[in-house]
Structures are given as C-alpha cells and as structure tokens.
Amino acid sequence: MKLALVNGIKTEATEGVRGTCQGCGSEVISKCGPIKINHWAHKGIRNCDPWWENETEWHRAWKNNFPIEWQETPMMDDCTNERHIADIRTGHGLVIEFQHSHIHSEERTSRENFYKNMVWVVDGRRLKRDFSRFQQSQKRFLYFKDARLKGYFLVDSPKETFPVQWLDSTVPVIFDFRGSPEESESITSHDNTLWCLLPKKADKYAVIMAISSENFITTSQSQKELMATDELIRFFSDLLKPRQRPMNRPTKNSLFEIRGGKLKRKQRFR
C-alpha cells in the first residue's frame, strides 16, 4: 500500500517509520529499498482487504494524478459492515479502481456492487497480446462521420478487442494501452488516448469512446459521474433502430453519417 496513517495523517512510506493500516487498523511497517517501490506492509499475518493487489509504478503514476486525501480511501457498507479501500474516491463520490493484475469476473462484479458509482482503469499492456489484439480490432471499428459523434465507435465483436473478463462489466472500463510511466513519457500527444468500453450494448454493438488521459482526469475530478452511460446507450440504440436488416460488412472500414435524421453507413474514402 502507498499510504498509512502516521499520527492520524495519510503518509507515504519512508525508512524506519511505522504506521497504522487504514483498512484493518493493524500496525504496518515501511518497506523502502532500491528494488521495489516504497510501500507499507503489515507487520504480522495480513487480515485486511482481500481485494488489495501489489502495486506497480503504473498504479502510483495514476494515483498521483489525484489529491492525496482522495487516494486509498476506506469505505464501508453500513448494512453488512463490509470494508474495502478504494484506490481513488473523489470529493464527488466517484470511485476509480486501477487494475493491473488479472481479476476474476466474480471479484470484478463484487467490487462493482460494493462501490456502485465507479470506473475501472485497466492496464492494457499487462499481456503482450492485449495491445496487438486491440490494434488489429481497430481496423473493424465502425465510426461516425458526424462531427458531433467524433471519438465514439461501435464494434460488433468486443471479445476480439478487449480481455473477456471485462466485457460484462456494469460500469465504464477504461483501457490504458500507453504502458509504464517510462513508456508513456515517450509517446506523442496523439497517442495519449484512453479507450473506454461502455456498459451494455447499443443493439448488437459495443460502444467505445476515445478520451485523452487529461480529459479523463479533469472530468473525473469535477463530476459525480464520468458520463451518463445509460443515456449514451439509449442514444446510440435509437440511431441504430432504422437499420433492421443485417448488412454485409464492406471490404473497407465502415463509417456512419446522419442523413435525413437516420444513421447511414458509408464507405471510407481512400
């Protein structure tokens, strides 16, 4: 963990310091060295948050985009007394969970049910094939010519785009394919894009939104919800309603445009 309570204040680990775990209240000791990032560890047998995972520099870089008082925030269900530590809980009540390691669908569902108003940010570079699969699938993205819909895409085979354990999520899942902080520093602003998979589908299509990391951070800091996902899904579902007959996919990538109040498919220009 990055933070523990030292004299009642959220504090990062420094050599020789002891603190108190925010989750279980037990004593933790600082672990500082040249190999692993500085962190706090439970002194004895750990009996704390089962959802906790070992952190990477990727986790830390993301957390550092938010005020320290929002980081690693304990939350409790008043009915069950179940207690967990959110990676980020903003001042507006939005929870952001950063996930690097593999997660089982059951745990993902449990977290979504517990936090409710939340967003996932997933390390898209965890497995080498994840990024290459995403790059290949981009060739099949359906996009809109209408400037008002710039940044939104439809895909009919999301399992060929993202890891399957995220496809049934009930909250937005943002995939970060930029890699480690060192790799991110070398990318161009054009590549500084996050890819958000919206929950549910519009007709048979999954809806994907491209958003810059800066825009995501700013929006999540200032709003209770990242986006009105239900309204967006209804909007795209309504756009697709006139297209009832299945159509063969053109040999080139498709694009949509709005003509006469209806969604029309158009061949991409060479």
Side-chain angles (χ1 to χ4, degrees), residues 78-270:
D78 294 332
C79 296
T80 64
N81 290 328
E82 183 179 358
R83 188 179 179 91
H84 296 287
I85 301 175
D87 285 339
I88 299 293
R89 187 175 188 269
T90 71
H92 302 280
L94 175 65
V95 169
I96 306 174
E97 287 282 274
F98 305 112
Q99 190 67 27
H100 167 77
S101 61
H102 174 77
I103 186 172
H104 292 287
S105 298
E106 294 81 4
E107 181 180 328
R108 189 212 73 232
T109 301
S110 295
R111 293 204 209 181
E112 292 170 2
N113 290 337
F114 180 82
Y115 293 126
K116 296 180 176 61
N117 181 30
M118 71 166 293
V119 176
W120 290 101
V121 177
V122 177
D123 186 355
R125 296 266 191 165
R126 186 181 74 87
L127 299 177
K128 290 182 178 180
R129 67 175 181 270
D130 287 347
F131 183 49
S132 59
R133 173 179 55 196
F134 176 76
Q135 286 182 306
Q136 288 298 315
S137 72
Q138 283 185 292
K139 300 174 183 178
R140 300 187 297 273
F141 281 12
L142 307 178
Y143 63 97
F144 299 89
K145 186 176 181 179
D146 192 293
R148 295 169 295 176
L149 301 178
K150 183 179 180 180
Y152 289 97
F153 306 89
L154 303 179
V155 60
D156 57 6
S157 299
K159 65 181 179 181
E160 298 177 6
T161 306
F162 301 116
V164 294
Q165 66 265 30
W166 298 105
L167 300 185
D168 295 325
S169 178
T170 59
V171 301
V173 182
I174 293 177
F175 293 88
D176 178 5
F177 291 106
R178 301 173 303 161
S180 66
E182 294 78 11
E183 293 170 322
S184 297
E185 290 176 359
S186 64
I187 64 177
T188 65
S189 59
H190 176 73
D191 296 323
N192 196 25
T193 303
L194 308 174
W195 299 88
C196 179
L197 174 65
L198 271 60
K200 303 180 183 179
K201 286 186 176 182
D203 194 15
K204 66 177 181 178
Y205 296 99
V207 181
I208 300 171
M209 181 181 71
I211 181 173
S212 70
S213 59
E214 294 84 358
N215 191 4
F216 166 67
I217 292 166
T218 301
T219 303
S220 60
Q221 288 180 342
S222 60
Q223 298 181 179
K224 183 177 180 180
E225 294 181 319
L226 182 65
M227 65 190 77
T229 54
D230 288 342
E231 292 181 16
L232 282 170
I233 293 298
R234 283 196 296 269
F235 172 78
F236 286 109
S237 296
D238 289 342
L239 284 180
L240 292 167
K241 277 182 180 178
R243 295 184 63 252
Q244 296 297 329
R245 291 189 306 168
M247 297 177 63
N248 294 329
R249 183 185 298 277
T251 55
K252 294 286 186 179
N253 282 3
S254 300
L255 56 82
F256 290 105
E257 61 181 348
I258 299 176
R259 298 201 306 268
K262 295 184 179 181
L263 188 69
K264 300 292 184 178
R265 203 173 193 174
K266 187 177 180 182
Q267 200 84 338
R268 177 187 284 192
F269 293 110
R270 291 182 180 273

